[in-house]
């Protein structure tokens, strides 16, 4: 157990996600409740290196719980991966007297925190903030629920026009290494198939099943592809489909960064608020270098080094369910 802290910093790092603001608000207000001084660090680790660090007050986080993005801004910072960068960052934290950090981000951000905290005696608490939901040690990541609901809303709209024209739509959703948005949105919109990085894509099977649908005159079809699927994304899949099934009226839609923005869902606001509060409690209790998550509706603490190594596994039974229900 470490010494108690009296000044803490909070930052958001990596790809932003809806609910980060709610998490910042919870960290700041819980910190103030415990009479801590709270500092906002701008643009993730970049702000630590450039000394872009500002005191936060209760009013600094007013009217943000409902806003997407992050008031602290976010960045991916290569310099922080060099010892020189981390040294500068440490010196700036020392200058402000900051003794503990809350890092809201994905596994890249936690890798940075892990390195930093093994070199310098500053406890870091990670909060899983990513739309990709690709982190072990938590059932929820801040932003996933909003992102997947944005995808569902978009796919429902696409289905209307697909239905009007009897078309096949191949829709690409985000997920460089993770198929969660694709899987969840695909099941929730009744997609015919979902292609994800966690399962090998058998393009032949896909063609055979589309041929079967053509024979059965089922002409309205939706395929959801995660951008990180090893076959190469929606455009690549469409190329093969157009060549092999020229009679199918095929269109591609790439949803892109629309999935990263927008007002966070109620679920993301709740998860962010609970985790932000828990991060400060963790620092108060002297916890060191853990990610706080929620498992089975209870707070769950995973050492940062395990959190960066492990990935949340996708239960392949979901793919079976999707295929049965889409027949
Ligand atoms: O936030 C994670 C993620 O959404 C990935 O799924 C995606 O590949 C990546 O961000 C893209 O982020 P950026 O455009 O910021 O590099």
């Amino acid at each position: 157990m470490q010494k108690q802290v009296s000044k803490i910093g909070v930052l958001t790092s990596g790809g932003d996600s809806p609910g980060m603001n709610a998490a910042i608000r919870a960290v700041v207000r819980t910190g103030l409740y415990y009479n801590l001084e709270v500092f906002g660090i701008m643009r993730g680790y970049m702000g630590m290196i450039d000394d872009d660090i500002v005191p936060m007050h209760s009013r600094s986080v007013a009217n943000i719980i409902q806003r997407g993005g992050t008031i602290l801004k976010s960045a991916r910072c290569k310099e922080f991966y060099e010892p020189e960068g981390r040294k500068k960052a440490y010196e700036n934290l020392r200058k402000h007297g900051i003794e503990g950090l809350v890092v809201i981000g994905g596994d890249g951000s936690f890798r940075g925190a892990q390195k930093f905290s093994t070199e310098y005696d500053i406890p870091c608490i990670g909060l899983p903030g990513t739309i990709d939901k690709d982190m072990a040690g938590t059932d929820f990541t801040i932003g996933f629920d909003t992102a997947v609901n944005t995808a569902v809303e978009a796919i429902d709209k696409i289905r209307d026009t697909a239905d009007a024209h009897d078309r096949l739509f191949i829709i690409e959703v985000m997920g460089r290494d993770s198929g969660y948005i694709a899987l969840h949105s695909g099941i929730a919109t009744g997609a015919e198939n979902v292609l994800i990085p966690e399962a090998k894509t058998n393009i032949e099977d896909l063609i055979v099943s589309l041929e079967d649908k053509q024979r059965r005159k089922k002409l309205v079809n939706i395929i959801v592809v995660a951008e990180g699927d090893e076959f190469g994304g929606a455009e690549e899949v469409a190329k093969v489909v157009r060549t092999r099934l020229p009679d199918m009226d095929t269109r591609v839609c790439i949803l892109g960064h629309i999935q990263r923005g927008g007002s966070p869902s109620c679920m993301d606001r709740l998860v962010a608020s609970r985790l932000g509060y828990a991060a400060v409690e963790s620092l108060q209790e002297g916890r060191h270098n853990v990610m706080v998550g929620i498992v089975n509706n209870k707070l769950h603490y995973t050492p940062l080094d395990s959190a960066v190594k492990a990935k949340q596994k996708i239960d392949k039974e979901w793919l079976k369910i999707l295929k049965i229900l889409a027949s």
Side-chain angles (χ1 to χ4, degrees), residues 15 76 131-132 174-176 227 257 260:
R76 297 189 174 94
I131 64 164
D132 289 343
M174 272 192 160
R176 191 169 34 206
E227 65 173 321
H257 287 78
R260 284 249 291 260

Side-chain angles (χ1 to χ4, degrees), residues 182-188 190-194 224 317-327:
L183 184 70
H184 286 218
S185 65
I187 291 169
E192 282 37 67
N193 213 326
V194 162
V224 182
E317 195 163 26
W318 279 114
L319 292 172
K320 184 175 171 192
I321 295 173
L322 177 131
K323 289 219 172 111
I324 293 172
L325 301 188
S327 60

Side-chain angles (χ1 to χ4, degrees), residues 10 12 20-28 56 61 70-72 104:
V10 55
T12 47
M20 279 183 163
N21 278 328
I24 296 166
R25 171 180 179 270
V27 170
V28 171
M56 303 289 279
V61 290
T70 155
I71 58 163
L72 295 178
I104 307 166

